[in-house]
Amino acid sequence: MSTHDRRTHLKALLALGGTLFLSGCDRLSRSNWFPPILKSADRLNDAVQHALTPRKAMAREYSPEDIAPGFRANGSTNPKTPAYLELVSDNFGSYRLQVGGLVQSPVNLSLADIRALPSRTQITRHDCVEGWSAIGQWKGARLSALLEKVQPLPSARFLVFHCADRWGSAQTPYYESIDMEDAYHEQTLLAYELNNAPLPVANGAPLRLRVERQLGYKMAKYIMAIELVERFDHIGDGNGGFWEDRGYAWYAGI
Ligand SMILES: Nc1nc2c(c(=O)[nH]1)N[C@H]1C(S)=C(S)[C@@H](COP(=O)(O)O)O[C@H]1N2
Ligand SMILES: [Mo]
């Protein structure tokens, strides 16, 4: 598509989106169309990106021959906090994933519990905003299966992932968030295996998010807790993630 065609196409889609929004208001929750916190131009771009790429579409999957020989690690590669080192020392036997916030039934799951949830295996390409990509095979629990277990309340709009690693001298916690649409996507996983082996520490052991329609920084590693929230302006600096608090887009669609 030429730039001109793309613009025309986009305008048509936005007009259509507007009409659907007005007429579909009662049927669809508002968040299906716009993130509820429309506080910057970024949010408008998110809506535009939604219009251009249907969010339910599947990310491309690859074949075993495409798998990169060594999957690169980036960002934190070992949280090294006393609590995390203790988990590593007993091979994550005492690890518990806390899931709470706006849910009917909060849970506390061991890795065995998580492995017992319906799973999915997929070979996908990871794209980092810093300009590298790597293809890997991920196995993990479907996030939708976990949501069925905890029963989100109607007010829940986002999932916030709280991670074990801390950044810089201020020891700022890494965190990320996604909306319900991405959370229920078929390829969205809580991954515990990379290339047929337990997830290495460098890649986020024991559990990391795969949200395949977005860039690498959304894929929280070292997940310790998942909090369902209606808004995230009280968490960190209020932009929905560690890198978002440093200027990156909240919706990092690819
Ligand atoms: N907890 C945590 N998650 C994180 C990061 C991090 O530093 N800490 N880095 C992000 C970035 S920028 C990328 S590209 C991927 C890297 O995943 P990998 O180490 O498996 O390559 O993890 C993302 N998730
Ligand atoms: Mo990244």
Side-chain angles (χ1 to χ4, degrees), residues 74-75 126-130 132 215-217 243:
N74 200 46
H126 178 105
D127 293 302
C128 173
V129 73
E130 291 167 21
W132 59 272
L215 288 171
Y217 66 87
W243 287 113

Side-chain angles (χ1 to χ4, degrees), residues 55 71 103 106 122 141 146 170 177 186 203 212:
R55 297 268 301 277
F71 196 93
V103 298
Q122 60 202 24
L146 176 67
S177 62
E186 200 178 327
N203 303 101
E212 304 291 358

Side-chain angles (χ1 to χ4, degrees), residues 20-48:
L20 286 173
F21 180 64
L22 289 176
S23 61
C25 226
D26 297 336
R27 243 176 344 106
L28 298 165
S29 89
R30 226 166 259 258
S31 61
N32 284 346
W33 289 101
F34 296 103
I37 311 157
L38 287 157
K39 68 179 181 193
S40 67
D42 233 19
R43 301 288 176 240
L44 187 60
N45 289 336
D46 296 343
V48 168

Side-chain angles (χ1 to χ4, degrees), residues 66-121:
D66 302 320
I67 294 173
F71 196 93
R72 184 169 166 174
N74 200 46
S76 298
T77 51
N78 189 337
K80 284 196 185 145
T81 61
Y84 185 79
L85 291 174
E86 206 177 306
L87 290 176
V88 173
S89 73
D90 82 338
N91 202 18
F92 300 103
S94 57
Y95 171 81
R96 293 293 179 278
L97 172 69
Q98 320 265 359
V99 190
L102 300 174
V103 298
Q104 226 153 62
S105 326
V107 292
N108 206 316
L109 303 175
S110 68
L111 267 186
D113 297 332
I114 295 164
R115 285 176 170 273
L117 290 170
S119 70
R120 187 173 202 280
T121 301

